[in-house]
């Protein structure tokens, strides 16, 4: 009797998971995982205009397949400067993030919220955000990954 109950629960959980996956796909959202976003290589070059060395990303097929698409990403919210609207989503909490720890540039996503959006999140809050992913290999004042129209 217990085996039957456990099997029935597993089937119900599987059905819920499949339904959630179908609903997400039907809404046109894809999940941008940190593993997928790690498919990028960086070369360091001197930028003559800036006069400093910059990291030039070459994105793999995984990130390229998400460019311009609506995605959801889960990570730690980092309000770097609320006054200027500079926010990041990180694979790791602040103490271990790209800026403060030993993580790479592929472990952060710059967040660009919709105009007038309320931003209730606090430092290191684990959040799942939705937006349009843009790959950036040319504007070195921004991150390699940018999530636009975040809600």
């Amino acid at each position: 009797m217990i085996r039957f109950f456990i099997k029935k629960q597993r089937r119900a959980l599987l059905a819920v998971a499949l339904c959630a996956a179908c609903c997400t796909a039907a809404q046109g959202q894809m999940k941008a995982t940190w593993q997928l976003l790690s498919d990028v290589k960086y070369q360091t070059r001197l930028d003559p205009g800036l006069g400093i060395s910059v990291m030039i990303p070459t994105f793999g097929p995984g990130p390229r397949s998400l460019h311009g698409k609506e995605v959801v990403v889960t990570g730690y919210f980092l309000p770097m400067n609320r006054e200027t609207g500079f926010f990041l989503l990180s694979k790791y909490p602040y103490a271990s993030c790209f800026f403060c720890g030993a993580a790479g540039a592929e472990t952060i996503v710059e967040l660009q919220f919709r105009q007038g959006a309320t931003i209730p999140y606090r430092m290191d809050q684990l959040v799942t955000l939705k937006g349009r992913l843009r790959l950036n290999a040319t504007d070195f004042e921004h991150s390699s990954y940018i999530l636009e129209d975040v809600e």
Side-chain angles (χ1 to χ4, degrees):
M1 184 68 168
I2 292 177
R3 275 191 191 153
F4 175 75
F5 180 73
I6 291 172
K7 283 183 182 178
K8 198 170 187 175
Q9 278 190 323
R10 284 184 186 160
R11 283 188 203 141
L13 288 173
L14 180 60
V16 169
L18 288 173
C19 180
C22 290
C23 291
T24 298
Q27 294 172 356
Q29 300 167 5
M30 303 172 94
K31 187 168 186 174
T33 65
W34 294 109
Q35 181 178 358
L36 185 138
L37 295 176
S38 71
D39 186 13
V40 60
K41 305 270 188 263
Y42 288 94
Q43 292 180 340
T44 303
R45 275 197 312 228
L46 179 67
D47 182 287
L50 296 173
I52 59 171
S53 291
V54 294
M55 293 179 7
I56 312 288
T58 301
F59 301 102
R64 284 196 316 264
S65 73
L66 296 179
H67 177 67
K69 299 212 169 81
E70 188 172 271
V71 300
V72 293
V73 188
T74 300
Y76 294 92
F77 184 76
L78 305 179
M80 304 309 290
N81 189 331
R82 285 190 183 271
E83 292 171 8
T84 63
F86 182 46
F87 303 102
L88 298 173
L89 193 66
S90 174
K91 178 179 181 178
Y92 302 108
Y94 184 74
S96 304
C97 82
F98 171 61
F99 293 105
C100 305
E106 70 281 356
T107 63
I108 59 168
V109 174
E110 183 176 335
L111 302 173
Q112 295 180 349
F113 285 88
R114 288 189 174 172
Q115 189 71 22
T118 302
I119 305 167
Y121 312 113
R122 65 185 185 286
M123 177 68 80
D124 282 340
Q125 182 176 347
L126 189 61
V127 296
T128 299
L129 300 173
K130 177 175 71 169
R132 188 176 62 254
L133 185 66
R134 179 164 55 99
L135 308 183
N136 173 34
T138 57
D139 185 350
F140 306 115
E141 294 185 9
H142 293 275
S143 300
S144 299
Y145 293 116
I146 302 170
L147 198 61
E148 301 173 320
D149 298 323
V150 176
E151 40 179 87

